[in-house]
Amino acid sequence: MGDLEKLNPHPGTATNAMCTFLAINTSSVQLLPTTAIAILAANGAKDPTAIVVPALLATTCACVAGVCAAKVLEKLPVFAPPERTSRTGAPAVEPLEKEGVAPMVDEPAVAQAPPLAPLTGRRMQIWVFSVALLGLGAIAYFHRAVFVPELIAYGFWAVAREYFLRTVTALSMLAVPCVLAFFPFYAALRGIKIYEQFVEGAKEGFPVALRVIPFLVAMLVAIGMFRGSGGMELLVHSPAARFVFEGIGFPPDLLPMVLMRPLSGSGTQGLFVDLVTHFGPDSLMARTAGTIYGSTETTFYVIAVYFGSVAVRRTRHAIAAGLVADLTGVVVSVLIWRVMFRP
């Protein structure tokens, strides 16, 4: 975001690239929804990783929807960047600092990443052997976990649904160990000092945190005022809202968590825990809620952090694109589990 701000012709106003970047970030493809998995596992779920593949599918759809929304909204006149003109009506050419927009503080130079070692010789042999071994193990696991000849007698749609469910379960169980092992192993083969690179990246966090604090405090105060005034309860318990969601087939019990998600991560987590406790960790409601929790983002928090770090105050269509991505993730999550749990 800092690099995009350096290319910004209107400092203080989000560019199209910034809004698209925020849409990708709020709807980023989720490899491992670790928090949701941990909550399900802590409550005794038989298969807490069952939400991995549904969350991956939901976030993929959400990411596509968010980027498309950003590209469409940027063309609307209501979201057009403001034109700057001088007192005579001609385009302004003076520096923007004269209008009160604080210039960006020069950041310390970031150390360049070391060049990657080529995958040749013994490194290539290790890589090929490991990939082949992983592939054979995955095939063997799939054959045992997915292929069940006895299901053929139950009809095409029953067999297709059962195979889909078994495939999702198998992929979910393989995803966690594979993802956790792949990146360190690949980095080691390419000669990357993982710990040193992690420390270098962590050093950049402190100056960013200092710039973000004022904007983050303002956002948290606004959310606290909204919840304290009863606005959230009015939306959640509104008969009109429940009637609309019930009419389109959306579970009304998920409504509080869905409305809370763009505003507060901790509040959403508390509502998710309540759903898991009430309906059970292996219920349709709990798994749908876990997928929603893992495939959506606290949009307002992310926008406050990213735009606050570069002092952007005019967000243009970033919020709208992020909310479209969140809505897509919610809808796809519900549809996936409705299909998987359909009797």
Side-chain angles (χ1 to χ4, degrees), residues 233-247:
E233 287 74 11
L234 181 63
L235 289 176
V236 170
H237 300 292
S238 171
R242 295 184 69 89
F243 176 78
V244 170
F245 280 93
E246 288 177 353

Side-chain angles (χ1 to χ4, degrees), residues 2-341:
D3 291 336
L4 291 175
E5 177 65 10
K6 294 176 182 177
L7 303 174
N8 188 359
H10 304 281
T13 300
T15 63
N16 293 337
M18 287 180 175
C19 294
T20 304
F21 175 68
L22 260 297
I24 294 174
N25 186 277
T26 56
S27 61
S28 57
V29 177
Q30 181 68 266
L31 296 178
L32 291 177
T34 53
T35 303
I37 292 174
I39 293 174
L40 292 174
N43 285 271
K46 296 179 180 179
D47 186 13
T49 60
I51 65 173
V52 172
V53 174
L56 179 62
L57 296 175
T59 50
T60 300
C61 296
C63 189
V64 172
V67 173
C68 292
K71 292 302 181 182
V72 171
L73 293 174
E74 71 184 25
K75 302 181 183 300
L76 299 181
V78 67
F79 294 118
E83 291 288 342
R84 297 185 63 255
T85 56
S86 63
R87 295 181 179 178
T88 61
V93 295
E94 66 272 15
L96 289 181
E97 287 82 1
K98 294 183 179 181
E99 289 194 357
V101 179
M104 289 188 60
V105 179
D106 293 335
E107 300 180 3
V110 180
Q112 296 294 325
L116 298 177
L119 285 175
T120 57
R122 183 173 295 275
R123 293 177 185 271
M124 178 60 72
Q125 294 175 3
I126 295 175
W127 176 250
V128 172
F129 176 78
S130 302
V131 171
L133 185 63
L134 179 62
L136 291 175
I139 292 173
Y141 179 81
F142 265 83
H143 184 271
R144 182 172 181 177
V146 177
F147 183 68
V148 182
E150 294 80 3
L151 292 174
I152 298 177
Y154 290 93
F156 175 78
W157 290 112
V159 173
R161 177 178 175 274
E162 184 64 22
Y163 273 106
F164 175 73
L165 179 58
R166 287 174 176 267
T167 301
V168 170
T169 303
L171 288 174
S172 299
M173 295 185 67
L174 288 173
V176 176
C178 289
V179 170
L180 293 179
F182 172 79
F183 292 104
F185 177 71
Y186 182 76
L189 284 178
R190 301 306 298 267
I192 297 297
K193 297 180 179 179
I194 302 174
Y195 180 76
E196 286 77 1
Q197 291 300 312
F198 173 80
V199 172
E200 288 296 327
K203 289 180 181 178
E204 304 174 24
F206 186 72
V208 171
L210 292 179
R211 295 197 302 270
V212 166
I213 285 175
F215 300 91
L216 191 59
V217 169
M219 187 270 298
L220 293 176
V221 170
I223 292 176
M225 293 174 62
F226 177 69
R227 295 179 62 183
S229 64
M232 178 61 67
E233 287 74 11
L234 181 63
L235 289 176
V236 170
H237 300 292
S238 171
R242 295 184 69 89
F243 176 78
V244 170
F245 280 93
E246 288 177 353
I248 62 176
F250 186 86
D253 294 304
L254 293 175
L255 182 58
M257 196 185 81
V258 170
L259 294 177
M260 179 65 70
R261 185 56 173 158
L263 301 174
S264 172
S266 58
T268 307
Q269 181 174 333
L271 293 173
F272 174 44
V273 172
D274 292 339
L275 289 173
V276 174
T277 304
H278 181 72
F279 291 97
D282 294 310
S283 63
L284 170 62
M285 193 67 63
R287 291 189 174 183
T288 305
T291 306
I292 293 175
Y293 184 81
S295 59
T296 54
E297 186 57 270
T298 49
T299 301
F300 291 96
Y301 176 86
V302 171
I303 288 176
V305 170
Y306 276 75
F307 282 150
S309 65
V310 292
V312 168
R313 294 175 176 83
R314 302 182 186 94
T315 61
R316 297 179 61 208
H317 56 282
I319 295 178
L323 293 178
V324 168
D326 287 338
L327 178 61
T328 304
V330 171
V331 172
V332 174
S333 299
V334 173
L335 291 178
I336 289 175
W337 284 107
R338 279 290 179 89
V339 172
M340 295 180 64
F341 269 78

